[in-house]
Amino acid sequence: MKGHIMLIGRPSDITASEITPATVFRKRRALIKAAGLGTMMAWSGLSLGEEPKTKIQDYSKSSYGQEEKLTSYRDITTYNNFYEFGTGKEQPAENVGQFKTTPWTVSIEGEVLKPRKLGIEELMKLAPLEERIYRMRCVEGWSMVIPWVGIPLSSLVKLAQPTGNAKFVELISAADPATMPGVRAPILDWPYVEALRLDEAMHSLTILAVGLYGEILPAQNGAPVRLVVPWKYGFKGGKSIVRIRFVEKMPQTTWMRAAPREYGFYANVNPTVDHPRWSQASERRIGGNVFSRRTPTLMFNGYADQVAQLYAGMDLRKHF
Ligand SMILES: Nc1nc2c(c(=O)[nH]1)N[C@H]1C(S)=C(S)[C@@H](COP(=O)(O)O)O[C@H]1N2
Ligand SMILES: [Mo]
């Protein structure tokens, strides 16, 4: 068995928000100092530890999640799981420097009438860009509230025109050893693969995200395009997607291959199905302090009204 954080012991309960950014900024400051870049950055109007941002021009707000308190931009972009850039929570933000997200094409393949390569600019025009504020829950027991900007995955499925044989959609992430240091190590079986049943892919909550907080997605969050499925554990949301393949048989996903007893195909957030090594009954919202209480985890991450019917008649203990 391969060694990686999700497989080793219980996830630590250290509060990320206070500790992580400070550590990142300290390291980055040291790097910038070493490279003599301090004056250059001051010159360009950026302060230390701040990345340039690019506003998304045309997107509309939506009513999704308006009542939620948003996790800060800093927490969302410095506390990440993106093992292609290392297994530490701060490593993705630190290690994405060489990773190029333009130009970018997504290849649509398999059981479709219209296989094709789609440039990221074309993909962003498949449907009106919309902000969706979603609760996100990691299998490790922490959660965030993230204002994504994206399009429904269904708009891409409609463009592809799946044949009658297509039952699942496989989403394959980039795996470039030259620019993704984690890919040079046997952390997982690269490339990272996730998949959905076709009806899950068509559900209106399922989006391809290209931005957050109205800005183009930062690399550490899966630029230029990543999957977001808010009723499932975070690992279903593959980042930096390069191929979308329509298939007849249920794909073996990366985490199923890594640890089939621990990570099932469905990965629906379910407080009554514990991870074999820890409880899933509660969660810790990132951005609190050490005294913040864990809150009860909700079935389907609180989206049961909208998605429970997808699993009618299924034994969700067996199909975890
Ligand atoms: N390609 C790829 N996608 C990935 C991962 C990864 O390691 N590689 N980690 C997953 C996990 S475990 C989580 S919780 C979310 C985290 O997304 P965020 O960092 O944008 O919050 O990304 C998911 N997508
Ligand atoms: Mo996760």
Side-chain angles (χ1 to χ4, degrees):
M1 191 162 69
K2 286 165 183 159
H4 34 77
I5 304 295
M6 276 168 77
L7 300 180
I8 301 170
R10 195 184 185 287
S12 103
D13 231 6
I14 298 164
T15 304
S17 58
E18 260 52 62
I19 296 161
T20 308
T23 319
V24 172
F25 298 140
R26 227 178 298 120
K27 281 189 193 154
R28 202 175 281 165
R29 210 165 274 154
L31 269 175
I32 288 168
K33 238 178 156 179
L37 290 176
T39 41
M40 248 178 71
M41 293 199 48
W43 210 41
S44 70
L46 286 173
S47 57
L48 292 179
E50 209 180 299
E51 304 293 342
K53 295 179 191 169
T54 313
K55 280 236 167 332
I56 294 180
Q57 292 309 326
D58 293 307
Y59 72 92
S60 62
K61 305 267 175 186
S62 71
S63 54
Y64 293 90
Q66 290 298 345
E67 68 288 353
E68 299 280 346
K69 182 178 182 297
L70 302 183
T71 303
S72 74
Y73 185 83
R74 185 162 283 195
D75 282 339
I76 295 170
T77 58
T78 56
Y79 189 85
N80 300 106
N81 275 335
F82 199 169
Y83 283 11
E84 287 84 337
F85 295 101
T87 54
K89 294 285 182 278
E90 20 183 285
Q91 281 183 312
E94 292 173 325
N95 291 341
V96 292
Q98 302 300 311
F99 183 56
K100 298 257 173 308
T101 57
T102 46
W104 193 274
T105 52
V106 177
S107 175
I108 301 174
E109 308 172 1
E111 290 290 347
V112 292
L113 297 178
K114 304 274 160 121
R116 59 174 294 178
K117 289 193 171 24
L118 199 62
I120 188 68
E121 300 78 13
E122 297 171 89
L123 182 146
M124 286 174 71
K125 289 188 188 121
L126 288 180
L129 290 169
E130 195 176 75
E131 183 174 81
R132 302 281 188 96
I133 297 169
Y134 282 166
R135 295 180 288 277
M136 304 300 297
R137 169 64 153 84
C138 178
V139 76
E140 295 166 334
W142 48 269
S143 62
M144 296 189 188
V145 177
I146 304 184
W148 301 109
V149 177
I151 58 164
L153 176 58
S154 65
S155 59
L156 183 141
V157 175
K158 285 172 197 155
L159 177 84
Q161 298 182 31
T163 69
N165 292 333
K167 301 286 187 297
F168 296 89
V169 186
E170 199 175 24
L171 300 107
I172 301 163
S173 298
D176 175 25
T179 59
M180 300 171 125
V183 174
R184 298 198 284 269
I187 302 166
L188 288 170
D189 263 332
W190 311 113
Y192 191 98
V193 174
E194 260 308 333
L196 298 171
R197 222 168 52 191
L198 194 56
D199 59 343
E200 296 176 323
M202 292 298 292
H203 195 280
S204 61
L205 283 174
T206 305
I207 60 169
L208 288 172
V210 297
L212 63 85
Y213 267 108
E215 311 282 344
I216 292 289
L217 213 56
Q220 60 268 34
N221 294 93
V225 58
R226 60 90 55 85
L227 179 69
V228 175
V229 197
W231 71 93
K232 293 176 182 282
Y233 292 116
F235 68 86
K236 291 301 280 186
K239 295 179 170 182
S240 304
I241 291 163
V242 291
R243 287 171 68 199
I244 300 183
R245 219 155 70 88
F246 292 76
V247 296
E248 183 163 12
K249 298 214 170 66
M250 180 183 283
Q252 278 283 108
T253 65
T254 294
W255 284 107
M256 289 165 76
R257 263 182 284 148
R261 258 178 20 87
E262 307 194 0
Y263 307 108
F265 177 85
Y266 285 94
N268 289 318
V269 175
N270 188 339
T272 71
V273 176
D274 287 336
H275 186 282
R277 289 179 288 117
W278 62 80
S279 163
Q280 292 293 26
S282 70
E283 66 198 48
R284 179 173 59 82
R285 190 57 64 84
I286 299 295
N289 57 44
V290 279
F291 306 109
S292 301
R293 296 181 66 107
R294 296 178 70 88
T295 54
T297 289
L298 300 174
M299 187 63 195
F300 296 115
N301 205 26
Y303 297 96
D305 287 356
Q306 290 153 85
V307 302
Q309 88 281 356
L310 291 172
Y311 311 102
M314 283 176 70
D315 179 354
L316 295 180
R317 298 189 158 273
K318 206 167 127 227
H319 300 283
F320 61 88

